[in-house]
Amino acid sequence: MQIDEGLPEAMLRLFANLRRAMAERIHRDGALGPSGFLLLSRLAEAPRRGSELGGLLGLDQSTVSRQVKGLCEAGLVGRGGIGSDERV
């Protein structure tokens, strides 16, 4: 089976278009502000605790909690973990 040589470039364009469409929808719907985008970018790397997110981004815990709640309500992230090790 041969793979089309243009496939990697086509896939990159597809993912870039998808990312752009998602960002436009999030902005349009008002589900996410600048802090939410920062949190979402860090969560795309790996699940993290709220305190870890706050430390990485220089945000206080109340801002992190509010933004995480909004991300959860928008269906962009979910919570997981057990007890004090709950991660977003």
Side-chain angles (χ1 to χ4, degrees):
M1 173 198 267
Q2 287 189 340
I3 296 177
D4 182 350
E5 290 182 18
L7 184 61
E9 292 83 13
M11 289 182 68
L12 287 174
R13 281 193 305 273
L14 173 67
F15 287 122
N17 289 337
L18 178 60
R19 187 171 124 183
R20 185 173 35 257
M22 288 175 64
E24 288 172 4
R25 177 179 167 246
I26 289 167
H27 274 299
R28 183 184 66 236
D29 295 347
L32 205 51
S35 296
F37 268 113
L38 289 173
L39 289 174
L40 198 55
S41 70
R42 289 300 185 158
L43 291 171
E45 299 168 357
R48 302 182 190 275
R49 292 186 308 275
S51 58
E52 183 182 0
L53 286 167
L56 286 169
L57 299 171
L59 300 172
D60 63 70
Q61 191 61 42
S62 64
T63 300
V64 172
S65 295
R66 188 174 51 255
Q67 292 298 323
V68 166
K69 180 181 176 189
L71 293 173
C72 288
E73 289 173 352
L76 297 170
V77 299
R79 294 180 182 264
I82 299 172
S84 63
D85 196 33
E86 183 175 54
R87 296 175 187 266
V88 181

